[in-house]
Amino acid sequence: MASCKYSWPAANERHLIGKRISRIDGPAKSSGRAKYTLDINLPGMLFVRSLGSPYAHAKIASIDTSEAEKMPRVKGIQLMKRAGDEVQWAGDQVAAVAAETEEAAEDATRKIKVEYQELPFLVNEADLNHAKTAGRTRIATQEKVGDPDKAFADSDAVVHEGYYGIPVIVHCCLEPHGHVLQWTGPQNLRCYSSTQSVSTLPSVFAEAMNIPANNVEVISHYMGGGFGSKFSMDLWGSAGAQLAKQTGRPVKYLLQRAEEMEVAGCRPSGFARIRAAAQKDGTLTAWESDCWGTGGPSPSGVLPIPYVLTNIPNRVRNHTFVMTNIGPARAWRAPNHPQACLLTMSALDDLADKLKMDPLQFFMKNADLAPENLGKVYREELQKAAELAEWSKYWHPRGDKTPGHLKRGLGLSIHTWGGRGHVSNCQVTIEADGSVTCELGSQDLGTGTRTVIAIVAAETLGLPVDAVKVKIGDSRYPYDGSSGGSTTVGGVSPSTRRAAVDARDQLFAAVAPGLGVSAGQLEAVGGRIQVQGDASKSLTWKQACRKLGARKVQAVGKNPGECMLGSSGVGGAQIADVTVDTETGVVKINRMVAAQDCGLIIDMKTAESQVYGALIMGVGYSLFEEKVMDPLTGRMLNPNMEYYKFAGIGDVGELVVHMMTGPGYDERGVIGLGEPPVISPGAAISNAVANAIGVRVPSLPLTPERVLAALEQKGEMA
Amino acid sequence: MQPFEYASPTSRSEAVRLLSPRWGETEALAGGTDLLGLMKDYVCTPKRVVSLKRIADLRGIHLVPGKELRVGAMTTYRELTENESVRRHFPVLIQAIERIRSEQLRNMGSIGGGMLQRPRDWYFRLGYGLLPEKDGQAMIANGDNRYAAIFGNSGSASWVSPSTIAPALIALGARAALYGPRGLRVIDLDRLFTTPAQPGEREHTLRPNEILTEIIVPHREGIRSAVYEVRQKEASDYPLVLAAVTLELRGRSIRSARVILGQVAPVPWPSHEAESALVGKTLNEETAEAAGEAAVTHATPLSMNRYKVQLTRVAVKRAILEAA
C-alpha cells in the first residue's frame, strides 16, 4: 500500500496512529473553558421558551397571544403553528416567547390561549390489532427469496417460532437541542448551534430567513452529543432566528429537558413474530418474519431482518408501519440496526437452544451468511469475545442450575455497519513560525474528531500532537460532511492526510535546495526534516519552517480522493454476562465484552471510548429505557431523568473492549466506529438473561416486571 | 416559575406567622431538593416561600442513651450519616439514608423535608393533582400504574408515599414534633401521613401553618432492624418496593415486630399481617418467608403493577433475614 503518495504509513512507521492518545480538548472540557452552545451568553441576549400542545393529536382552532404580550419583560412572540394546523404529538410546539429572563419567558407561555379540537390518538403500538382497528397501519411490500414454505416444511428442519419487541426510546442528549442566534447585520445571521452539521446548516437557515447562505455563520465548537437527532435547524431554529430579528437582540433557544424528550426525536420501535429453521447440524435454512413498529406519524424504515445473516437461502419478510402520536422519529445511533439485531439475534439464539447447540458454535457455523465476506471477521471476533468473556468457563445450556435465586448467564450477538467516510475538505497551513493549522467545517460531537485530525496531521508532519492546531466547528472553514452514519473519522482522516502530505511536500521543496538534495529525498520525522537515511543532514521543524519567510505553505486535501485511505463495512461481536435475581426479576450486568473492527484505527483511546460509551448506552436501553406514553392523555409520562431511567456507573458492570487490528484490518483503511458497538447490547443482554433463567423475556427493556412475568409463564417463579 | 415572595425568618414563631392557614398560598422551604422543581414545573405556585434555613434550633442531633434520639428537622442526611451516635445506635437509619444514591440529595436533603416531600407520581408531577382524574375516571387506576400503590389504592390517590426513610423511622417507633400557632404537638410519625380523599387535602396531616421541627426516635438496646429495598438500578433512583423491619428477640424467638412497607401505598404501610406472622415464632428463613407471604395477603394490585406484590413478598423476607 506504500506505492501511493498518500497511503497510510506502514505499521512500523506509525508513531502516533493507532496509539492511545488522550483527547486534545480534554483539559478545556474538564476545566469548563470549552464553551458549548448552552454556555454561550451574549450581551442583551433574550431567553426563549416554548408552549407545547397538551394533546397528542388535535386541531388548533385559535391562538391568542394578547395577554402574553403584555407580560413584563416579554420582548417577542413567534407562532410555530397557525389556526387550522394539526399537532401530531403532545409537546409539539405552538408558540415561542422571548423575554429578558427564563422565568418571564416561561410564565408568558402560560398566558397564551390556545383552543384545540381534540382528535383521536394512538400511542401504543405493541398491540397491532388495535392499531389496525384504528386505521393507523400501512403494509410495506413483502420481500421474498427462495421457497420458505418448502424449507419450513422439510422434515429435517428444526423450527423455532417466537415473538420479540423493542420499544420506542429517546436520545436525551446531555446537551439539549437548540441555538443561540444573533443577527450581526440586517442580512447576516450568526448561529451558535448544537449541531451534527456545521457545514450544511447555513443553507437551511438561509432559505428559512431568505438571505444568502454565505451570510450565515454556524458555530459549534463543542457539543454535548447528538446521536443522530441534531442534523436540522428545526422549528426552534427558525422561530429563534425570527425572534432575534423581531426583537433586534440575540436569543438563546435551547430546549428544556422535558421538551427535549417529548419532541426532539424517537428511536422507532420494532415488534415481530418470527419463524426460523435450521438443519439438525445448525445450518440455517429459512426465515419468516411479520414485523411492525412505529416512528411517529409517518412510516419509518423497514427493519432489515434477518439481520447480519442476510443470506439465509429461503426467507420472507413482511413489515407493517404503525402511525402513532408518540412523537417524531429521528435517526438514533445506527438507525434500524439495534431493533433488527434484537429481533434477529434473539430468535436465532432461541433456535440454537432448540437445536441444543452452543450459540457460539451456531453463529460461527452460519457466519458466512453475512454479506461482504465478513464471515472471517465474525469468526475472529466471536473467538476473541468468547476468550475475553471466558465463554468456555461460564456458558451453560439454558437455565443456570445453581441452587438459589441468583442465576448467571452469557449471551452473544453480532452486528454490522457501513461507515464509509463522508465528503471532507481539510486545509492545512504551515507558517514560518512552525505553526500547523488544520481547518475543516466539521464538528466534534464528543467523539474525538478534533483529536483524530491532530493525530493524522502530526503523524504526517513528524510532529507531536500538540504542535497541530485544529480548527473545526465553524461554517467559515472548508466544507465538511455532517457527522452521521459513522462517517466523520473516515472522512476527515483521509482529507487531512492528503492535505498534510501536500503541505509537507511543499515544505520539502522549500528546504531541499539548502540541504543540497531533492525534495523527494526528504522525510519528516521526530520533529525534524531530514534526508532519508542520513539524519546528519537535517533541520529542526522550526528551522525548516523559518525558511518559508513571508510565504506560508497551504494545501487542501479532499475526501474522496486519490489513494485508498478508507473503506466500509465492519462487523463486531459482543458477549453479555449477567446475573438475574429470580425472586425480584432484577438483572445485573457482570461484564460486557466487545470485539470490534473499524479498519485502521487512528486513536486507540478515543476508539475504545466510543465502544465503552456504546456499551453504557446499550445497557441503558436494554435494561431501563422506554418512552412511556399515557394511554389516557397520549402524553409522555416520563419526560425527565427520574422515570426515564438511565444506566449509572454502578449498573454497567465491567466493560471489556478489544479493537481488532493488524493484518486483515489495518489495510482496509479508516472506517467509522460511532454506531456499530451500540447495536448488539440489546440482543446480547437479552440472550444472556435467557441463558441465565431458561426462558426468553421477549421485550426490552428487561425490567423486573417483564422478567417476573416470563418466569411466571414458564412456571418457575420462586 | 411564578414570581413569589421569599421570607427567611430566624425563629419558629416568626416562620409560623409567615405561613398561610390555607394550603397553596405559602410553602415552607427546607433543603429545596423537591420544592424548587415543583415550582419550576408550576405544580406548586406559592405566593410566598418561607425558608427554614436560618432557624437555628431546627438543626442538631441529640442522643439520650436508653431514652431517645432527637433530630432537628433541618438536619441533613449527610449530618446524620456522619454522626457517630446515629451510626452506632441506629444502623438501620444509616442503611436507609446511604441507599439514597445521590450525593447531592444526601448533602442538601433534610430529614424533615424528606418526610414531607411530595409524591413522585407522574400524573401529579404533570399537574393533574393529588387526585388525578380525567372524565371522571381515576387516572392512575385506568392509566399507566406500573409504579403505583398495591395497598390502600381504592381512591384516586393511588400513588405511593415517596420517602425511603420514613418506613425505617416508623418501624423504630419515631414521633414527629409539629409547631404551629397553637404551639407544639407531638404525634406518632405514622400519623403524619394520610391519604387525601377530597380536593384541597394533602398527603400529610401537618397543617398549612405548621412546621415539622423534630423527629424523636426511641432508643432501646437490643432491637434488630433492617431495611431492604428492591431497586432496578444502582444509580440514583427510587426503589420499586422497600420493607423496614424491627425485631425484638428473646433467644431466637420473636417477641415483637414492626414491618413497615414503602413504595406500595399512599402512606408508609404498616403490615400487621406480617407482624402477626412473626410474633412468637422462631426467627428463621421459613418464618421470614411466611411473613412475606402474609404481608401481601390483602394486596390489591392495579392493572400493571402485580409484580410489586412479588417484590413486597421478597422485600419483607429479606429485610427480616437481614435484621436477624
Side-chain angles (χ1 to χ4, degrees), chain A residues 335-406:
Chain A
N336 294 328
H337 283 233
Q339 300 96 315
C341 186
L342 182 278
L343 299 177
T344 304
M345 301 305 158
S346 302
L348 295 184
D349 185 71
D350 285 348
L351 177 60
D353 174 59
K354 194 154 187 181
L355 287 158
K356 302 203 183 316
M357 229 178 135
D358 178 339
L360 182 63
Q361 302 313 320
F362 175 83
F363 280 96
M364 290 273 196
K365 186 176 186 69
N366 288 292
D368 285 322
L369 293 172
E372 297 183 52
N373 299 318
L374 278 169
K376 181 170 173 286
V377 168
Y378 286 122
R379 276 188 290 272
E380 289 177 3
E381 288 177 333
L382 282 165
Q383 199 61 54
K384 190 71 206 174
E387 183 189 313
L388 293 169
E390 299 171 272
W391 184 272
S392 57
K393 182 174 170 191
Y394 291 114
W395 184 82
H396 50 73
R398 277 224 177 143
D400 182 356
K401 303 291 185 284
T402 314
H405 59 269
L406 297 178

Side-chain angles (χ1 to χ4, degrees), chain A residues 434-469:
Chain A
S435 66
V436 178
T437 310
C438 301
E439 293 170 311
L440 307 88
S442 185
Q443 50 279 316
D444 189 333
L445 278 53
T447 54
T449 308
R450 193 179 260 113
T451 307
V452 162
I453 294 166
I455 290 170
V456 170
E459 176 84 61
T460 308
L461 301 172
L463 295 171
V465 175
D466 61 9
V468 176
K469 184 165 185 155

Side-chain angles (χ1 to χ4, degrees), chain A residues 459-462 504 508 522-530 541:
Chain A
E459 176 84 61
T460 308
L461 301 172
R504 181 195 67 193
F508 285 170
L522 294 174
E523 61 181 0
V525 165
R528 306 185 76 84
I529 306 293
Q530 63 190 37
W541 177 261

Side-chain angles (χ1 to χ4, degrees), chain A residues 430-432 506-507 510-511 543-553:
Chain A
I430 303 171
E431 298 199 70
Q506 287 181 48
L507 182 64
V511 301
Q543 287 167 340
C545 291
R546 204 164 298 143
K547 304 244 180 251
L548 290 169
R551 286 177 298 163
K552 59 183 169 191
V553 161

Side-chain angles (χ1 to χ4, degrees), chain B residues 79-220:
Chain B
E79 286 163 347
L80 272 163
T81 54
E82 284 177 352
N83 184 286
E84 273 313 307
S85 330
V86 180
R87 290 199 82 87
R88 193 159 63 243
H89 298 288
F90 299 92
V92 67
L93 277 185
I94 303 297
Q95 199 186 13
I97 292 169
E98 286 181 345
R99 285 186 185 165
I100 300 173
R101 300 286 162 104
S102 155
E103 193 81 21
Q104 293 92 332
L105 278 182
R106 291 197 306 268
N107 283 341
M108 294 299 293
S110 65
I111 187 82
M115 296 303 106
L116 295 169
Q117 62 178 306
R118 311 303 308 276
R120 309 301 308 176
D121 173 57
W122 42 36
Y123 292 105
F124 174 69
R125 298 270 159 178
L126 284 172
Y128 293 101
L130 285 173
L131 304 166
E133 287 180 7
K134 184 174 189 280
D135 308 326
Q137 281 190 315
M139 292 179 88
I140 298 175
N142 294 288
D144 194 310
N145 47 48
R146 69 186 71 188
Y147 299 121
I150 56 168
F151 293 102
N153 55 3
S154 56
S156 295
S158 50
W159 32 260
V160 298
S161 178
S163 174
T164 56
I165 312 300
L169 283 170
I170 293 169
L172 289 166
R175 287 168 297 147
L178 312 174
Y179 183 82
R182 282 175 285 176
L184 197 70
R185 63 184 177 115
V186 178
I187 59 171
D188 286 341
L189 181 59
D190 59 349
R191 312 299 294 177
L192 181 64
F193 301 94
T194 183
T195 306
Q198 300 296 324
E201 289 179 6
R202 281 214 178 174
E203 71 279 22
H204 298 107
T205 58
L206 182 87
R207 294 175 192 130
N209 55 356
E210 276 182 327
I211 56 172
L212 173 61
T213 60
E214 204 171 39
I215 302 288
I216 305 146
V217 193
H219 178 230
R220 287 159 62 203

Side-chain angles (χ1 to χ4, degrees), chain A residues 106-107 110 405 581 583-584 588 623-624 626 628 630 632 635 637 642-643 645-646 648 651 712, chain B residues 1 3 42 120 122-123 128 139 144 146-147 232-235 237 304 306 310-311 317-318:
Chain A
E106 185 76 44
D107 283 342
R110 306 178 78 86
H405 59 269
D581 183 331
E583 288 186 338
T584 62
K588 295 277 179 226
L623 298 186
F624 308 122
E626 185 178 4
V628 178
D630 183 23
L632 299 176
R635 291 174 70 170
L637 286 172
E642 175 178 353
Y643 280 126
K645 299 186 186 214
F646 286 103
D651 298 306
E712 193 177 31
Chain B
M1 190 187 279
Y42 298 80
R120 309 301 308 176
W122 42 36
Y123 292 105
Y128 293 101
M139 292 179 88
D144 194 310
R146 69 186 71 188
Y147 299 121
Q232 195 187 354
K233 281 189 356 184
E234 287 301 315
D237 193 16
M304 294 174 74
R306 211 165 48 83
Q310 165 65 9
L311 300 190
K317 178 179 81 175
R318 293 187 184 176

Side-chain angles (χ1 to χ4, degrees), chain A residues 493-550:
Chain A
S493 304
S495 67
T496 303
R497 173 70 176 172
R498 293 183 181 110
V501 165
D502 286 351
R504 181 195 67 193
D505 289 355
Q506 287 181 48
L507 182 64
F508 285 170
V511 301
L515 287 168
V517 295
S518 70
Q521 288 172 273
L522 294 174
E523 61 181 0
V525 165
R528 306 185 76 84
I529 306 293
Q530 63 190 37
V531 176
Q532 287 172 30
D534 183 2
S536 69
K537 281 190 186 170
S538 73
L539 297 167
T540 66
W541 177 261
K542 289 233 169 195
Q543 287 167 340
C545 291
R546 204 164 298 143
K547 304 244 180 251
L548 290 169

